[in-house]
């Protein structure tokens, strides 16, 4: 079978479970970076932004949004948060504020491709709090309370 046929035969499956697992992986990676290099603001902001994005997209997919809907939203964290809240995600003012500040730089991929100039940031510790809240809330919704309890001490939560 040639490569084109192999690619066509693979089924791409984006699921709430794979997305929340990805969120945990990015969150865990951010924890490791923070432990060794706590002043790496761009790297930490990018990793935590990815964790937050994947957790929100897991919630949206679980709530009935389609993969096409997720692609339409792209990397726009404030829009993801608003849509998730419309589907029942707990709303907090601090989460909305922090993601609106993070959102512009994150969506433009400034943390992955830094540019010179002024940059408004949210401290990584505050972003980690949001990532933790979202990952825990969405993990329980997607995989259940029992699995959450079993994995609670594992990296990424």
């Amino acid at each position: 079978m040639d490569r084109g046929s192999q690619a066509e035969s693979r089924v791409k499956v984006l699921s709430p479970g794979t997305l929340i697992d990805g969120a945990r992986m990015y969150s865990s990676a951010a924890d490791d970076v923070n432990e060794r290099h706590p002043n790496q603001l761009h790297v930490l902001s990018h990793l935590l932004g990815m964790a937050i994005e994947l957790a929100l997209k897991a919630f949206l997919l679980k709530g009935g949004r389609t993969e096409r809907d997720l692609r339409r939203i792209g990397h726009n964290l404030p829009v993801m948060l608003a849509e998730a809240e419309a589907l029942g995600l707990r709303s907090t003012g601090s989460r909305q504020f922090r993601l609106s500040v993070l959102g512009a730089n994150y969506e433009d991929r400034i943390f992955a491709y830094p540019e010179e100039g002024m940059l408004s940031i949210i401290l990584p510790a505050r972003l980690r709090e949001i990532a933790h809240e979202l990952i825990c809330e969405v993990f329980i919704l997607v995989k259940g309370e029992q699995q959450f309890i079993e994995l609670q001490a594992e990296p990424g939560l």
Side-chain angles (χ1 to χ4, degrees):
M1 183 182 294
D2 66 15
R3 287 186 179 205
S5 299
Q6 287 176 344
E8 289 174 18
S9 67
R10 279 185 291 204
V11 177
K12 290 172 59 175
V13 178
L14 189 61
S15 72
T18 60
L19 289 172
I20 198 62
D21 288 342
R24 289 182 56 224
M25 288 181 226
Y26 275 99
S27 184
S28 178
D31 291 343
D32 289 345
V33 168
N34 189 51
E35 186 175 309
R36 298 185 94 164
H37 307 286
N39 294 322
Q40 301 298 321
L41 295 177
H42 281 77
V43 174
L44 290 167
S45 296
H46 180 71
L47 291 171
L48 291 167
M50 285 295 302
I52 291 165
E53 175 181 350
L54 293 174
L56 288 170
K57 286 185 173 180
F59 186 90
L60 292 171
L61 207 56
K62 182 72 174 173
R65 296 294 194 267
T66 66
E67 190 171 337
R68 175 177 272 178
D69 295 331
L70 301 184
R71 290 187 191 286
R72 177 187 49 79
I73 295 168
H75 305 292
N76 191 326
L77 296 176
V79 168
M80 276 180 242
L81 180 62
E83 290 202 23
E85 288 174 348
L87 291 174
L89 182 71
R90 184 175 48 90
S91 176
T92 70
S94 67
R95 192 183 289 171
Q96 290 169 342
F97 172 77
R98 292 175 192 176
L99 291 188
S100 69
V101 172
L102 173 69
N105 296 322
Y106 179 77
E107 184 176 12
D108 290 341
R109 310 315 271 173
I110 299 296
F111 299 120
Y113 305 99
E115 299 174 357
E116 288 188 34
M118 295 295 291
L119 184 65
S120 296
I121 63 161
I122 297 294
L123 292 176
R126 303 295 73 86
L127 293 177
R128 183 59 177 96
E129 287 173 357
I130 294 170
H132 174 74
E133 292 170 4
L134 289 171
I135 290 169
C136 290
E137 189 172 341
V138 176
F139 188 94
I140 291 168
L141 175 71
V142 170
K143 297 196 174 203
E145 183 95 32
Q146 184 59 40
Q147 193 168 3
F148 176 76
I149 291 167
E150 292 170 7
L151 296 175
Q152 200 165 359
E154 295 297 316
L157 287 175

